Amino acid sequence: MKVGLALSGGGARGFAHLGVLKALEEVGIKVDMISGASAGSVAAAFYSYGYKPEETLKIFENTNILKLVWPAFSVTGLLNIQKTESVYSKYLKEDSFEASQIPIYIAATNLNEGKTEMFHSGSLKQAIMASCCIPFIFDPVKIGEDYYVDGGILNNMPTEILQEKGCDFIIGVNVAPLVKEPNLSGPKRMIERVTVLALSANVMYSSRICDVYIMPQELRKYGTFDFKKSRELFDIGYEHARQLLDSPESEKLQKLLRIAESKSA
């Protein structure tokens, strides 16, 4: 059985993906293909390159992401995401999809074409930066002749590509659960709210393809830029996934666990 894993965007809440990955490893579930959008693309890239979840967490705990961006002073965005390339250059040295140990697909939104583009070859660093480029926060990333922004805008949990590539069992992880927003004053909050609603709408569609859908509700109280709470977010993802994996209620999940056990025997 070929297992595919799709990781959603969600800003700092993407640290929860690492906790989920740790839980999957502990019960022996091997991921054969992985896809990601925005923050999910970062977790997917490091995992596909062979970094353990705890190892990736420590890398980013020692890296202040907010200090890696600086004012872009342009009409298209407030910050420039290109400086985060230094982190990826240090740890993803080959900068190649082909160098990954697990096949990986990264979703980004092509502004020129007005559609989702799934990167599977070329520069891994550029694909990650494009996928993480939140509109109105960061300057768009130029790849070739086109400009790209956050992959989550049109496909925040790319499960379809996993189905197309022959995965028999798909696990989707959504780290951006929708919450009620009582304060919509000002254009900034309005833009953020509309963006969140767009992300939630396309995740709802993608989740229908999942055999197992993981969405830790506890993440609702955390924001996009809560990077200092990385360990808390990691633990929430881990605990939620462990509870689900240990639950006898999910027939599909239990079937997958039995297959994983038989392979390791």
Side-chain angles (χ1 to χ4, degrees), residues 13 78 134-137 153 178-179 181 183-200 223-225:
R13 288 165 294 194
L78 299 176
I134 304 171
F136 309 110
I137 301 295
I153 297 300
L178 184 64
V179 296
E181 176 54 71
N183 183 7
L184 292 175
S185 59
K188 182 177 181 293
R189 286 187 179 274
M190 189 66 71
I191 290 171
E192 289 175 347
R193 186 58 175 173
V194 170
T195 302
V196 168
L197 291 176
L199 299 182
S200 298
T224 301
F225 294 100

Side-chain angles (χ1 to χ4, degrees), residues 81-97:
I81 202 170
Q82 293 286 350
K83 204 170 182 180
T84 58
E85 185 176 359
S86 61
V87 178
Y88 308 132
S89 295
K90 183 176 180 179
Y91 296 101
L92 308 174
K93 295 183 182 298
E94 295 187 50
D95 188 25
S96 166
F97 282 84

Side-chain angles (χ1 to χ4, degrees), residues 27-201:
V27 298
I29 293 178
K30 178 180 176 295
V31 176
D32 299 293
M33 187 177 294
I34 189 166
S35 64
S38 199
S41 73
V42 180
F46 276 77
Y47 193 69
S48 71
Y49 255 64
Y51 288 97
K52 293 295 183 182
E54 287 274 6
E55 190 178 5
T56 303
L57 176 65
K58 289 177 182 177
I59 288 172
F60 283 93
E61 281 180 333
N62 295 326
T63 304
N64 190 332
I65 295 295
L66 294 181
K67 285 185 178 180
L68 291 179
V69 295
W70 72 96
F73 301 112
S74 72
V75 297
T76 53
L78 299 176
L79 302 172
N80 193 317
I81 202 170
Q82 293 286 350
K83 204 170 182 180
T84 58
E85 185 176 359
S86 61
V87 178
Y88 308 132
S89 295
K90 183 176 180 179
Y91 296 101
L92 308 174
K93 295 183 182 298
E94 295 187 50
D95 188 25
S96 166
F97 282 84
E98 290 73 23
S100 63
Q101 299 174 16
I102 303 171
I104 177 175
Y105 292 85
I106 291 179
T109 300
N110 185 319
L111 284 179
N112 297 85
E113 297 287 344
K115 66 180 183 180
T116 296
E117 193 164 323
M118 299 300 304
F119 286 93
H120 184 57
S121 62
S123 170
L124 181 59
K125 294 184 296 187
Q126 286 293 309
I128 295 171
M129 288 188 290
S131 187
C132 292
C133 190
I134 304 171
F136 309 110
I137 301 295
F138 297 110
D139 249 356
V141 172
K142 188 177 183 181
I143 300 178
E145 297 299 317
D146 293 338
Y147 289 91
Y148 294 84
V149 293
D150 198 324
I153 297 300
L154 296 179
N155 193 346
N156 198 39
M157 193 176 70
T159 54
E160 299 85 355
I161 188 66
L162 301 176
Q163 186 181 57
E164 290 172 13
K165 297 300 178 180
C167 289
D168 307 294
F169 195 99
I170 297 175
I171 302 171
V173 186
N174 179 13
V175 296
L178 184 64
V179 296
K180 182 176 181 179
E181 176 54 71
N183 183 7
L184 292 175
S185 59
K188 182 177 181 293
R189 286 187 179 274
M190 189 66 71
I191 290 171
E192 289 175 347
R193 186 58 175 173
V194 170
T195 302
V196 168
L197 291 176
L199 299 182
S200 298

